[in-house]
Amino acid sequence: MSLSDEDRRKLDRLAQVMLPGSVGMSGASELQLAHAPVDRVLRIEPALAPKLAHFLTRAGFVGSLGDVEALAQEDPEEFKALEVVLANAYFMHDTVRGEIGYPGQEARDSSVGLDDRDLALLEPVRARGAIWRE
Amino acid sequence: MSDTSSDVVIVGAGPSGAVAALELARAGMAVTVLEQGGWVAADEFDGARPEWELTQLRKWHPNPNVRGRAEDYPIDAAQSDVNPLMFAGVGGAALIYGAHWVRFMPSDFRVRTLDGVADDWPFTYDDLAPFYEYVEEAMAVSGLSGNPAYPDGAPCPLPPLPMGRVGRKAAKGMNALGWHWWPGSNAIPSRAYRGLQPCVLRGTCGTGCSDGAKATPDRTHWPEALKLGVRLITGARVAEVETDAKGRACGAVWIDRHGARHRARGDVVILCANGIGTPRLLLMSDLANRTGLVGRRLMMHPYAGVMGTFDEELESWVGPAGQILVSMQFYETDTSRGFVRGAKWNCMPAGGPQSFRAGYTGGTLTEGWGAALHDGVARKFGRSFEWGIIGEDLPDPENRIVLSDSLTDGDGLPAPEIRYRMSDNTHRMLAFHTARAVEAMEAAGAISTEVTPLIRDCGWHLMGTAVMGEDPETSVTDQFGRVHDVPNLYVFDGSIFPTSSGMNPTATIMAVAARAVLNLIETRHTLAPSQ
């Protein structure tokens, strides 16, 4: 299911209000979130598209979070689909990940195990002795 | 209808079914296993992909009602405080478990004697200890031996995973209060081990391990079982356990993914379909329920959490997840607290940025958006972790599963309906424990804390619905899972647990299954039809 130009304009406006950008994080408009990033999410999870489309059909011009809230209250399930689409489009974006210092769920070496600092932390636990009940 | 025959038919290829199938095959018995799900390859899991947080909302969600795969059966949980969670596949729910590996405590087996509640188990911690050790070798358990919460220190075959910044932060808080903690033990190898890859701390255990590291029965047990000739049939939903004219189990009728019915005959039938699936099947088959106990005493471990946020970078998306630390400080009964029994704590990483997206205060639907979203992520992401709390859930015959009279699965079989309410004891227990966990966070330096008093999607631990015991008037099976009413029918999963403990149960499910199947092998001569 592809979004119409009108749907995409509405989605773009919703995204700007819901993700305005702040404290070092880009806003939706800078990222053109309503285009390729949203399409990426819908490719991975196409089941979101019908509810998103219904929400956008109902949506008029939104100027504030208060306007979005009113739409959300009309159908919380459809709003949830919008939330999932926008949040994932945003946090899957490489720019945003870089801005918040998130490399994704990256691989690291687990064989380092516990070091001397960790074992030192355990000393008082060992010193208190057994706590199990017969 | 096809018709096959073997010595033993097992229903379910998860942790208990895998233990049973492998041991029976090693003993030279012909085994057929019926599994309603299929195989899931490591590269199907999304942990290493950017969409990890997206696909866990449906595709890898632990609630079958949300996931909605063809092999799942729906569950009516409208009358339950907690949603039961599971996964249908070779390896069972372990495919998406957190691999928290903890033994029950000695007191867990003696709650009637010690605390005057529920029932003692028909065996003790010492009886089960050799079987714990046995399954821990198979499950590549990493941890630090010498935990003073156990009489034998709960030895682990592999060295522990790293604690990381989160673990050190949490440990300092616990030390400041003089409270017990210990590095977490997990069924996740810290070294390459018997075909398992070493853990890479990706922190996505609960949505499946994409690295082939986490110990799950499809990797730890099934390869050898298949080599030994076990016949594993996937996509096989069992509709009924059949009995002969003498009332003995003689096999199972199963339905394939095209709706065709088949018969698998066996001299012995073992149910390993979890604490919901097993009583559902017994009820559908009208078996083993002379006492009316099948489906009753359901225990699901209501789970609470306390999230702490700190003013320093903790890299709190890094695994294991997995448990980084555990605490049994408040595990044992102290009646001055206003409840009996206790809870285990597990220190967990906080995951990716979307963990901090939503508003959880019960306010407006959009409160977590706009500038608040950016502020919340900047303040919390990478700087937060959780103490999770598993409270012991005492058995109550009114907490139960029944067969729905209105909801069916994709094959027209009645779905389970859950009737479950948290007890007053559990409410008081979780209130006490969350208050202590807030103190632990504050002692560690948290600048803010958030308490989740009950997480509805928490019913991972399904126990008690075909209770074992020595008295056929008050139990469904004997201490080896042998059904009192049907002597060649067994239950090996968590359904037979008399009590739940406050621990993650997979270690005990597998140890109890190992103990039971070895008894079955030793006593198989008594199972001949003439006996």
Side-chain angles (χ1 to χ4, degrees), chain A residues 86-97:
Chain A
L86 289 184
N88 282 282
Y90 189 71
F91 287 113
M92 284 165 58
H93 201 291
D94 288 342
T95 299
V96 176
R97 289 183 167 214

Side-chain angles (χ1 to χ4, degrees), chain B residues 441-462:
Chain B
M441 287 293 187
E442 290 172 347
I447 56 173
S448 66
T449 58
E450 291 172 58
V451 175
T452 305
L454 173 67
I455 297 170
R456 184 173 172 84
D457 267 329
C458 76
W460 284 103
H461 306 160
L462 307 170

Side-chain angles (χ1 to χ4, degrees), chain B residues 206-272:
Chain B
T207 48
C209 181
S210 55
D211 299 283
K214 189 175 71 170
T216 52
D218 55 318
R219 307 180 72 85
T220 56
H221 288 70
W222 280 109
E224 183 184 346
L226 294 176
K227 276 185 191 168
L228 291 172
V230 173
R231 184 172 186 232
L232 171 59
I233 304 174
T234 57
R237 173 172 284 150
V238 176
E240 181 185 5
V241 175
E242 292 188 307
T243 52
D244 61 19
K246 293 181 178 176
R248 296 170 56 85
C250 57
V253 173
W254 59 276
I255 304 170
D256 68 24
R257 289 299 91 218
H258 303 291
R261 290 191 171 234
H262 307 265
R263 176 172 286 122
R265 296 180 192 274
D267 298 330
V268 173
V269 176
I270 305 172
L271 304 185
C272 300

Side-chain angles (χ1 to χ4, degrees), chain A residues 18 21 25 45 69 83 87-88 90 97 102 105 108 110 117-118 121-122 125 128 130-134, chain B residues 50 58 110 115 148-149 151 168 175 178-179 181 199-200 202 315 317 354 357 365-366 369-370 374 381:
Chain A
M18 294 168 72
M25 286 173 237
E45 190 53 277
E69 178 71 22
E83 289 188 298
N88 282 282
Y90 189 71
R97 289 183 167 214
Y102 178 50
Q105 299 302 122
R108 295 192 177 191
S110 71
R117 289 174 298 169
D118 304 327
L121 283 168
L122 271 172
V125 183
R128 284 193 295 275
I131 63 166
W132 58 279
R133 183 182 180 199
E134 187 70 65
Chain B
R58 191 174 69 88
R110 304 173 62 233
D115 296 319
R168 290 186 197 107
N175 279 354
W179 290 355
W181 64 275
C199 176
V200 295
R202 203 178 291 284
E315 295 188 313
W317 63 87
Q354 294 206 52
R357 173 176 62 80
L365 292 171
T366 54
W369 289 96
H374 300 298
F381 173 63

